[in-house]
Every structure is written in C-alpha cells, then in structure tokens.
mmCIF file of all heavy atoms in Angstrom:
data_model
loop_
_atom_site.group_PDB
_atom_site.id
_atom_site.type_symbol
_atom_site.label_atom_id
_atom_site.label_comp_id
_atom_site.label_asym_id
_atom_site.label_seq_id
_atom_site.Cartn_x
_atom_site.Cartn_y
_atom_site.Cartn_z
ATOM 1 N N GLU A 1 -12.655 -20.162 5.559
ATOM 2 C CA GLU A 1 -12.505 -18.724 5.838
ATOM 3 C C GLU A 1 -13.087 -18.375 7.207
ATOM 4 O O GLU A 1 -12.569 -17.495 7.895
ATOM 5 C CB GLU A 1 -13.200 -17.910 4.744
ATOM 6 C CG GLU A 1 -12.444 -17.931 3.418
ATOM 7 C CD GLU A 1 -13.272 -17.434 2.248
ATOM 8 O OE1 GLU A 1 -14.486 -17.725 2.180
ATOM 9 O OE2 GLU A 1 -12.696 -16.767 1.377
ATOM 10 N N ASN A 2 -14.162 -19.079 7.614
ATOM 11 C CA ASN A 2 -14.743 -18.854 8.935
ATOM 12 C C ASN A 2 -13.848 -19.408 10.036
ATOM 13 O O ASN A 2 -13.612 -18.747 11.054
ATOM 14 C CB ASN A 2 -16.135 -19.494 9.027
ATOM 15 C CG ASN A 2 -17.226 -18.566 8.548
ATOM 16 O OD1 ASN A 2 -17.696 -17.711 9.287
ATOM 17 N ND2 ASN A 2 -17.624 -18.702 7.288
ATOM 18 N N VAL A 3 -13.355 -20.616 9.852
ATOM 19 C CA VAL A 3 -12.546 -21.273 10.891
ATOM 20 C C VAL A 3 -11.268 -20.477 11.170
ATOM 21 O O VAL A 3 -10.850 -20.321 12.316
ATOM 22 C CB VAL A 3 -12.216 -22.731 10.486
ATOM 23 C CG1 VAL A 3 -11.172 -23.339 11.427
ATOM 24 C CG2 VAL A 3 -13.481 -23.590 10.501
ATOM 25 N N PHE A 4 -10.657 -19.920 10.106
ATOM 26 C CA PHE A 4 -9.389 -19.194 10.283
ATOM 27 C C PHE A 4 -9.555 -17.678 10.168
ATOM 28 O O PHE A 4 -8.578 -16.970 9.886
ATOM 29 C CB PHE A 4 -8.346 -19.716 9.292
ATOM 30 C CG PHE A 4 -7.757 -21.035 9.715
ATOM 31 C CD1 PHE A 4 -8.340 -22.221 9.316
ATOM 32 C CD2 PHE A 4 -6.645 -21.086 10.552
ATOM 33 C CE1 PHE A 4 -7.822 -23.451 9.716
ATOM 34 C CE2 PHE A 4 -6.110 -22.302 10.958
ATOM 35 C CZ PHE A 4 -6.702 -23.488 10.545
ATOM 36 N N ALA A 5 -10.781 -17.193 10.379
ATOM 37 C CA ALA A 5 -11.023 -15.734 10.314
ATOM 38 C C ALA A 5 -10.081 -15.017 11.281
ATOM 39 O O ALA A 5 -9.956 -15.390 12.445
ATOM 40 C CB ALA A 5 -12.473 -15.440 10.675
ATOM 41 N N GLY A 6 -9.388 -13.997 10.764
ATOM 42 C CA GLY A 6 -8.458 -13.234 11.598
ATOM 43 C C GLY A 6 -7.075 -13.852 11.686
ATOM 44 O O GLY A 6 -6.168 -13.282 12.299
ATOM 45 N N ALA A 7 -6.912 -15.055 11.116
ATOM 46 C CA ALA A 7 -5.599 -15.721 11.178
ATOM 47 C C ALA A 7 -5.347 -16.511 9.899
ATOM 48 O O ALA A 7 -4.866 -17.643 9.929
ATOM 49 C CB ALA A 7 -5.548 -16.638 12.393
ATOM 50 N N LEU A 8 -5.704 -15.919 8.764
ATOM 51 C CA LEU A 8 -5.544 -16.614 7.480
ATOM 52 C C LEU A 8 -4.057 -16.773 7.156
ATOM 53 O O LEU A 8 -3.296 -15.797 7.258
ATOM 54 C CB LEU A 8 -6.237 -15.826 6.358
ATOM 55 C CG LEU A 8 -7.758 -15.666 6.473
ATOM 56 C CD1 LEU A 8 -8.257 -14.672 5.429
ATOM 57 C CD2 LEU A 8 -8.470 -16.998 6.299
ATOM 58 N N PRO A 9 -3.614 -18.004 6.790
ATOM 59 C CA PRO A 9 -2.201 -18.185 6.432
ATOM 60 C C PRO A 9 -1.880 -17.428 5.132
ATOM 61 O O PRO A 9 -2.673 -17.462 4.195
ATOM 62 C CB PRO A 9 -2.074 -19.701 6.234
ATOM 63 C CG PRO A 9 -3.465 -20.178 5.957
ATOM 64 C CD PRO A 9 -4.391 -19.240 6.653
ATOM 65 N N LYS A 10 -0.738 -16.746 5.110
ATOM 66 C CA LYS A 10 -0.427 -15.914 3.938
ATOM 67 C C LYS A 10 0.981 -16.159 3.402
ATOM 68 O O LYS A 10 1.887 -16.537 4.163
ATOM 69 C CB LYS A 10 -0.580 -14.422 4.296
ATOM 70 C CG LYS A 10 -2.017 -14.012 4.544
ATOM 71 C CD LYS A 10 -2.133 -12.544 4.874
ATOM 72 C CE LYS A 10 -3.601 -12.164 5.114
ATOM 73 N NZ LYS A 10 -3.756 -10.778 5.539
ATOM 74 N N ASN A 11 1.136 -15.942 2.097
ATOM 75 C CA ASN A 11 2.445 -15.819 1.460
ATOM 76 C C ASN A 11 2.591 -14.338 1.140
ATOM 77 O O ASN A 11 1.995 -13.850 0.179
ATOM 78 C CB ASN A 11 2.515 -16.635 0.162
ATOM 79 C CG ASN A 11 2.536 -18.121 0.442
ATOM 80 O OD1 ASN A 11 3.035 -18.542 1.474
ATOM 81 N ND2 ASN A 11 2.007 -18.917 -0.477
ATOM 82 N N GLY A 12 3.334 -13.639 1.988
ATOM 83 C CA GLY A 12 3.410 -12.187 1.814
ATOM 84 C C GLY A 12 2.051 -11.572 2.110
ATOM 85 O O GLY A 12 1.518 -11.705 3.218
ATOM 86 N N PHE A 13 1.455 -10.923 1.087
ATOM 87 C CA PHE A 13 0.138 -10.297 1.279
ATOM 88 C C PHE A 13 -0.998 -11.165 0.737
ATOM 89 O O PHE A 13 -2.162 -10.790 0.805
ATOM 90 C CB PHE A 13 0.095 -8.921 0.592
ATOM 91 C CG PHE A 13 1.029 -7.930 1.201
ATOM 92 C CD1 PHE A 13 2.202 -7.558 0.547
ATOM 93 C CD2 PHE A 13 0.760 -7.381 2.449
ATOM 94 C CE1 PHE A 13 3.078 -6.649 1.111
ATOM 95 C CE2 PHE A 13 1.622 -6.465 3.025
ATOM 96 C CZ PHE A 13 2.792 -6.093 2.364
ATOM 97 N N VAL A 14 -0.649 -12.315 0.167
ATOM 98 C CA VAL A 14 -1.655 -13.167 -0.488
ATOM 99 C C VAL A 14 -2.000 -14.360 0.402
ATOM 100 O O VAL A 14 -1.107 -14.993 0.973
ATOM 101 C CB VAL A 14 -1.129 -13.668 -1.861
ATOM 102 C CG1 VAL A 14 -2.181 -14.531 -2.560
ATOM 103 C CG2 VAL A 14 -0.737 -12.487 -2.735
ATOM 104 N N VAL A 15 -3.304 -14.656 0.497
ATOM 105 C CA VAL A 15 -3.752 -15.801 1.303
ATOM 106 C C VAL A 15 -3.252 -17.097 0.663
ATOM 107 O O VAL A 15 -3.405 -17.319 -0.538
ATOM 108 C CB VAL A 15 -5.300 -15.838 1.414
ATOM 109 C CG1 VAL A 15 -5.763 -17.132 2.090
ATOM 110 C CG2 VAL A 15 -5.801 -14.621 2.189
ATOM 111 N N ASN A 16 -2.622 -17.941 1.494
ATOM 112 C CA ASN A 16 -2.133 -19.248 1.036
ATOM 113 C C ASN A 16 -3.307 -20.242 1.086
ATOM 114 O O ASN A 16 -3.549 -20.887 2.106
ATOM 115 C CB ASN A 16 -0.973 -19.708 1.935
ATOM 116 C CG ASN A 16 -0.362 -21.013 1.468
ATOM 117 O OD1 ASN A 16 -0.991 -21.787 0.732
ATOM 118 N ND2 ASN A 16 0.861 -21.273 1.901
ATOM 119 N N LYS A 17 -4.020 -20.354 -0.040
ATOM 120 C CA LYS A 17 -5.259 -21.139 -0.066
ATOM 121 C C LYS A 17 -5.016 -22.631 0.159
ATOM 122 O O LYS A 17 -5.819 -23.301 0.798
ATOM 123 C CB LYS A 17 -6.013 -20.917 -1.380
ATOM 124 C CG LYS A 17 -6.740 -19.587 -1.422
ATOM 125 C CD LYS A 17 -7.963 -19.637 -2.298
ATOM 126 C CE LYS A 17 -8.809 -18.384 -2.091
ATOM 127 N NZ LYS A 17 -9.930 -18.315 -3.016
ATOM 128 N N SER A 18 -3.924 -23.147 -0.378
ATOM 129 C CA SER A 18 -3.682 -24.588 -0.220
ATOM 130 C C SER A 18 -3.409 -24.934 1.240
ATOM 131 O O SER A 18 -3.888 -25.943 1.756
ATOM 132 C CB SER A 18 -2.537 -25.054 -1.118
ATOM 133 O OG SER A 18 -1.370 -24.329 -0.813
ATOM 134 N N LYS A 19 -2.666 -24.075 1.949
ATOM 135 C CA LYS A 19 -2.405 -24.299 3.389
ATOM 136 C C LYS A 19 -3.701 -24.128 4.188
ATOM 137 O O LYS A 19 -3.996 -24.909 5.099
ATOM 138 C CB LYS A 19 -1.323 -23.351 3.896
ATOM 139 C CG LYS A 19 -1.024 -23.560 5.404
ATOM 140 C CD LYS A 19 0.208 -22.833 5.842
ATOM 141 C CE LYS A 19 0.368 -22.781 7.353
ATOM 142 N NZ LYS A 19 0.169 -24.069 8.040
ATOM 143 N N LEU A 20 -4.468 -23.094 3.839
ATOM 144 C CA LEU A 20 -5.751 -22.834 4.510
ATOM 145 C C LEU A 20 -6.669 -24.055 4.388
ATOM 146 O O LEU A 20 -7.265 -24.510 5.369
ATOM 147 C CB LEU A 20 -6.416 -21.597 3.887
ATOM 148 C CG LEU A 20 -7.804 -21.196 4.405
ATOM 149 C CD1 LEU A 20 -7.773 -20.893 5.896
ATOM 150 C CD2 LEU A 20 -8.338 -19.987 3.634
ATOM 151 N N LYS A 21 -6.723 -24.589 3.171
ATOM 152 C CA LYS A 21 -7.582 -25.758 2.915
ATOM 153 C C LYS A 21 -7.078 -26.982 3.681
ATOM 154 O O LYS A 21 -7.858 -27.702 4.314
ATOM 155 C CB LYS A 21 -7.601 -26.032 1.408
ATOM 156 C CG LYS A 21 -8.610 -27.094 0.979
ATOM 157 C CD LYS A 21 -8.630 -27.197 -0.543
ATOM 158 C CE LYS A 21 -9.497 -28.356 -1.003
ATOM 159 N NZ LYS A 21 -9.493 -28.496 -2.461
ATOM 160 N N ALA A 22 -5.765 -27.200 3.645
ATOM 161 C CA ALA A 22 -5.180 -28.364 4.322
ATOM 162 C C ALA A 22 -5.361 -28.281 5.840
ATOM 163 O O ALA A 22 -5.727 -29.274 6.488
ATOM 164 C CB ALA A 22 -3.696 -28.476 3.971
ATOM 165 N N ASP A 23 -5.131 -27.089 6.410
ATOM 166 C CA ASP A 23 -5.285 -26.914 7.872
ATOM 167 C C ASP A 23 -6.739 -27.119 8.301
ATOM 168 O O ASP A 23 -7.012 -27.705 9.348
ATOM 169 C CB ASP A 23 -4.809 -25.516 8.297
ATOM 170 C CG ASP A 23 -3.296 -25.353 8.186
ATOM 171 O OD1 ASP A 23 -2.613 -26.377 7.944
ATOM 172 O OD2 ASP A 23 -2.805 -24.221 8.330
ATOM 173 N N THR A 24 -7.665 -26.614 7.479
ATOM 174 C CA THR A 24 -9.094 -26.790 7.800
ATOM 175 C C THR A 24 -9.487 -28.257 7.673
ATOM 176 O O THR A 24 -10.232 -28.789 8.499
ATOM 177 C CB THR A 24 -9.974 -25.919 6.871
ATOM 178 O OG1 THR A 24 -9.505 -24.577 6.902
ATOM 179 C CG2 THR A 24 -11.430 -25.945 7.311
ATOM 180 N N MET A 25 -8.962 -28.916 6.633
ATOM 181 C CA MET A 25 -9.283 -30.335 6.422
ATOM 182 C C MET A 25 -8.818 -31.177 7.608
ATOM 183 O O MET A 25 -9.508 -32.111 8.034
ATOM 184 C CB MET A 25 -8.618 -30.826 5.124
ATOM 185 C CG MET A 25 -9.253 -32.076 4.541
ATOM 186 S SD MET A 25 -10.966 -31.817 4.011
ATOM 187 C CE MET A 25 -11.741 -33.274 4.704
ATOM 188 N N ALA A 26 -7.660 -30.829 8.160
ATOM 189 C CA ALA A 26 -7.133 -31.561 9.327
ATOM 190 C C ALA A 26 -8.103 -31.439 10.507
ATOM 191 O O ALA A 26 -8.365 -32.417 11.219
ATOM 192 C CB ALA A 26 -5.757 -31.018 9.705
ATOM 193 N N LEU A 27 -8.635 -30.231 10.693
ATOM 194 C CA LEU A 27 -9.614 -30.021 11.770
ATOM 195 C C LEU A 27 -10.911 -30.784 11.491
ATOM 196 O O LEU A 27 -11.486 -31.403 12.378
ATOM 197 C CB LEU A 27 -9.938 -28.519 11.906
ATOM 198 C CG LEU A 27 -8.996 -27.690 12.769
ATOM 199 C CD1 LEU A 27 -9.355 -26.219 12.649
ATOM 200 C CD2 LEU A 27 -9.069 -28.117 14.223
ATOM 201 N N ILE A 28 -11.385 -30.719 10.253
ATOM 202 C CA ILE A 28 -12.628 -31.405 9.871
ATOM 203 C C ILE A 28 -12.504 -32.911 10.138
ATOM 204 O O ILE A 28 -13.422 -33.547 10.650
ATOM 205 C CB ILE A 28 -12.967 -31.129 8.386
ATOM 206 C CG1 ILE A 28 -13.466 -29.678 8.217
ATOM 207 C CG2 ILE A 28 -14.012 -32.120 7.860
ATOM 208 C CD1 ILE A 28 -13.612 -29.231 6.773
#
C-alpha cells in the first residue's frame, strides 16, 4: 500500500489486491 500509494491498481472502484501484491513482489 505504501509502494503504490496514489496509484493502486483497481478493478472498477475496488483495489485489485492480487495485482498489487504481484507488482510489489516483483519490485521486492
């Protein structure tokens, strides 16, 4: 949530948690 603050991936109005997790994991 910190890494993607202000640019959270979404499906419509809902945060796409699996994409958020995968994108962060790639950076980690």
Side-chain angles (χ1 to χ4, degrees):
E1 287 166 322
N2 273 277
V3 170
F4 283 90
L8 297 170
K10 291 181 180 176
N11 289 330
F13 295 106
V14 181
V15 172
N16 183 339
K17 283 209 169 174
S18 58
K19 180 169 168 47
L20 177 60
K21 188 175 173 182
D23 290 351
T24 308
M25 201 64 226
L27 275 173
I28 287 171

